[in-house]
Amino acid sequence: MSKTFKEAFKVTMPVLLGYLSIGLAFGLMMQSIGLNFIWAGGMSLVIYAGTLQYLAVMMFQTGMSMISVALMTLFVHFRHMVYGLSLIEKFKDISFFKKVYMIFGLTDETYALLTSSTVPESVKDDVENYYFYISILDHSYWIIGSILGATIGSLININTEGVSFAMIALFCVLCTEQWFNLKSKVPIFIGGICALVTLFIFGPDNMMIPAIIAIMVLLMGDRKKLEKEGIINE
């Protein structure tokens, strides 16, 4: 096992614990509507979108139209476009195929690790693989958790009501970690205030895109200060 892989594994430990839990919850939900571990693992392999996969269970149950599914997918994961813009500089020297996979694998949790974790001195000369291993390890945790959940659900009758809260819990853990790691707390305050304001104006079902736009505009407006403090890359 390479030194770079070991360092990537260490930094992904919080995601390992979180993804096994929420992946297991997703697998249980899939099994509860009659879709076995093959479906759960397959979705986690080729879709790999935690929030959307939870919503997919509801979509399967209600028979939602393809147009509705497409629109919901766009709205729920629109934020990933913003994530990608902020990583252009970081990904610019990464080889094409690894870059394609890392774009595909850019979940909230992986983004948090790629932007907040410090590259260990021992792997400074292998940064490309360090970032790649973080992405692929996080993906594997999610797949394993999904398969385990569906398998357990097929063996034991479990009430799945409320298990989707596991996703929110993991987000809170990662947000707390960023709070302690970031030199400036300005981005977190901006995100929190924008979320509250858009929640009040647009409501819980329509706040996501306005909140993301507001956060991006405010952060870009204060770009020079944030670059100086090392919050974002020049």
Side-chain angles (χ1 to χ4, degrees):
M1 188 180 295
S2 72
K3 175 172 58 180
T4 306
F5 186 86
K6 289 179 181 177
E7 292 294 342
F9 178 72
K10 288 179 186 177
V11 81
T12 60
M13 282 297 290
V15 179
L16 165 63
L17 299 175
Y19 271 14
L20 285 181
S21 300
I22 62 177
L24 190 145
F26 166 71
L28 287 172
M29 292 172 67
M30 287 288 283
Q31 184 63 42
S32 72
I33 62 170
L35 297 174
N36 62 22
F37 72 94
I38 297 175
W39 283 94
M43 282 183 68
S44 294
L45 175 65
V46 302
I47 298 177
Y48 189 32
T51 307
L52 185 64
Q53 287 181 229
Y54 274 79
L55 289 173
V57 177
M58 177 195 70
M59 295 175 192
F60 290 145
Q61 287 177 310
T62 59
M64 190 177 292
S65 70
M66 291 304 294
I67 293 176
S68 297
V69 170
L71 289 174
M72 185 173 287
T73 302
L74 175 63
F75 291 144
V76 169
H77 289 283
F78 180 83
R79 66 190 185 279
H80 287 206
M81 298 182 188
V82 182
Y83 291 169
L85 289 174
S86 68
L87 289 173
I88 289 175
E89 188 68 22
K90 184 165 287 198
F91 282 7
K92 70 175 184 179
D93 296 324
I94 293 177
S95 60
F96 176 76
F97 290 107
K98 287 180 181 177
K99 186 183 297 183
V100 169
Y101 174 76
M102 289 169 69
I103 292 170
F104 161 74
L106 195 58
T107 61
D108 296 334
E109 295 74 27
T110 300
Y111 177 80
L113 292 181
L114 292 176
T115 55
S116 65
S117 65
T118 303
V119 178
E121 287 295 329
S122 59
V123 297
K124 285 283 188 182
D125 58 343
D126 197 22
V127 174
E128 175 180 336
N129 282 323
Y130 177 71
Y131 290 149
F132 176 70
Y133 290 148
I134 287 176
S135 298
I136 204 165
L137 280 168
D138 286 353
H139 192 184
S140 67
Y141 304 151
W142 179 249
I143 295 170
I144 293 168
S146 301
I147 293 173
L148 279 176
T151 302
I152 292 171
S154 68
L155 300 173
I156 306 171
N157 187 20
I158 299 175
N159 184 355
T160 59
E161 185 178 355
V163 296
S164 59
F165 186 77
M167 181 72 72
I168 299 173
L170 178 58
F171 174 81
C172 290
V173 170
L174 290 169
C175 186
T176 301
E177 185 177 355
Q178 289 228 358
W179 173 270
F180 288 111
N181 287 337
L182 287 175
K183 296 177 184 177
S184 171
K185 307 300 188 270
V186 173
I188 294 177
F189 281 118
I190 287 176
I193 292 170
C194 288
L196 288 174
V197 171
T198 53
L199 173 63
F200 178 76
I201 296 173
F202 299 101
D205 296 329
N206 303 302
M207 63 167 284
M208 180 70 76
I209 293 178
I212 291 173
I213 293 172
I215 292 168
M216 186 168 61
V217 169
L218 290 173
L219 288 178
M220 290 301 101
D222 202 24
R223 183 180 177 86
K224 288 186 178 179
K225 182 180 178 181
L226 293 175
E227 285 178 348
K228 186 178 180 180
E229 294 181 2
I231 305 302
I232 59 177
N233 294 324
E234 298 181 12

